[in-house]
């Protein structure tokens, strides 16, 4: 992929990134990720305990523009920690995170977080109405806007089954949702937020195969026009990613497209071979 193809372009060494106009100059600045934006991690390390092992070690890569970025690896490879760093929930122990050449400091994190929406493995569903849960990032959204997001996330069937409609209580003391429905609520939240960066951490790991497939078919078209980081150990998602970051032992083992990584016959290739043998 050449530099003209900006969709989630990965480069192994961000040292050559030229400084372009500031993405964020202060915590109050307007930050809008677009096809020309750049995010670079340089020698990022994360250690949760001074005497403990590194969860991330010497992680270096660069993302440019929009696209779907898969983060693949076995359990314990560092995927979730990397998502936490990208979300601004975890500050590196050492190394740098740069946005358009500017270090993402503590003072800038609030602005950075306003651009991101998370879809975790176990979404938080609080005791409240379906509408209020979907408004998680956008409390001022109208019922019409909420209904549109619910429809786009594939929750129309659930909505029609609720006697109270948008305003029926869910969560503790209300209608209990299945794992797939909870994930669709999280997806509706992200869509309603209109945020340009989506962070997904094993979003389908606890779902059965049929539910995962249905959710996947809903999700993929909605990823277009955004920067999406999808961390998972399930290799079938990687076929739909524009670029792939392969994590192994807390570091980046290799990066590339699905076809490039297969041709390289490295860590990613061995993961696929092992899965095929298991099947």
């Amino acid at each position: 992929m050449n530099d003209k193809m900006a969709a989630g372009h990965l480069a192994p060494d961000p040292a050559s990134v030229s400084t372009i106009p500031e993405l964020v100059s202060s915590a109050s600045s307007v930050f809008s990720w677009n096809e020309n934006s750049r995010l670079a991690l340089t020698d990022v390390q994360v250690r949760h305990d001074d005497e403990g092992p590194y969860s991330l070690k010497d992680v270096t890569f660069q993302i440019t523009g929009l696209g779907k970025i898969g983060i693949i690896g076995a359990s314990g490879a560092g995927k979730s920690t990397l998502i936490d760093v990208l979300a601004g929930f975890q500050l590196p122990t050492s190394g740098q995170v740069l946005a358009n050449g500017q270090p993402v400091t503590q003072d800038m994190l609030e602005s950075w977080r306003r651009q991101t929406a998370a879809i975790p493995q176990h979404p938080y569903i609080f005791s409240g109405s379906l509408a209020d849960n979907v408004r998680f990032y956008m409390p001022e959204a109208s019922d019409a806007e909420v209904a549109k997001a619910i429809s786009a996330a594939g929750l129309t069937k659930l909505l029609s089954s609720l006697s109270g409609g948008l305003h029926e209580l869910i969560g503790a003391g209300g209608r209990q949702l299945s794992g797939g429905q909870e994930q669709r609520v999280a997806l509706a939240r992200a869509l309603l937020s209109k945020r340009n960066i989506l962070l997904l951490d094993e979003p389908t790991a606890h779902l059965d195969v049929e539910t995962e497939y249905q959710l996947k078919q809903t999700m993929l078209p909605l990823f277009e026009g955004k920067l999406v980081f999808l961390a998972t150990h399930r290799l079938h998602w990687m076929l739909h990613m524009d670029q792939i970051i392969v994590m192994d032992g807390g570091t980046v083992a290799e990066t590339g497209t699905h076809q490039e990584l297969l041709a390289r016959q490295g860590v990613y290739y061995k993961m696929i071979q092992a899965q095929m043998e298991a099947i």
Side-chain angles (χ1 to χ4, degrees), residues 2-14:
N2 59 40
D3 288 339
K4 292 181 180 179
M5 296 176 67
H9 174 63
L10 276 169
D13 182 7

Side-chain angles (χ1 to χ4, degrees), residues 173-236:
R175 171 73 171 267
Q176 297 301 301
L177 305 184
S178 68
Q181 289 169 335
E182 289 181 349
Q183 288 293 1
R184 289 181 186 276
V185 169
L187 182 57
R189 285 172 177 168
L191 295 173
L192 185 63
S193 75
K194 299 179 182 177
R195 296 182 178 190
N196 293 333
I197 304 170
L198 301 183
L199 300 155
L200 298 90
D201 185 9
E202 295 280 10
T204 58
H206 67 293
L207 303 180
D208 61 75
V209 174
E210 182 179 358
T211 302
E212 179 180 24
Y213 177 77
Q214 292 171 350
L215 192 62
K216 179 180 175 183
Q217 297 305 110
T218 302
M219 283 181 162
L220 288 172
L222 302 175
F223 290 165
E224 297 305 317
K226 297 180 183 293
L227 174 61
V228 179
F229 292 98
L230 172 63
T232 182
H233 67 280
R234 296 188 169 176
L235 286 159
H236 64 84

Side-chain angles (χ1 to χ4, degrees), residues 24-117:
V24 186
S25 59
S26 71
S28 62
S29 298
V30 175
F31 165 26
S32 182
W33 184 272
N34 57 52
E35 65 274 11
N36 298 314
S37 302
R38 295 183 183 183
L39 178 70
L41 274 66
T42 308
D43 298 327
V44 165
Q45 301 198 111
V46 171
R47 201 179 196 179
H48 298 288
D49 187 326
D50 289 343
E51 302 300 323
Y54 285 96
S55 298
L56 292 182
K57 190 171 183 179
D58 302 324
V59 170
T60 296
F61 62 85
Q62 177 187 310
I63 300 293
T64 300
L66 309 174
K68 301 181 291 292
I69 311 299
I71 302 173
I72 190 75
S75 178
K79 303 185 302 296
S80 292
T81 304
L82 178 54
I83 286 287
D84 284 346
V85 169
L86 293 169
F89 299 145
Q90 172 69 55
L91 291 178
T93 305
S94 61
Q96 278 192 314
V97 179
L98 305 173
N100 282 1
Q102 304 299 313
V104 178
T105 63
Q106 182 71 54
D107 291 341
M108 297 157 60
L109 285 178
E110 182 180 348
S111 183
W112 171 256
R113 288 169 183 157
R114 284 198 297 268
Q115 290 299 297
T116 66

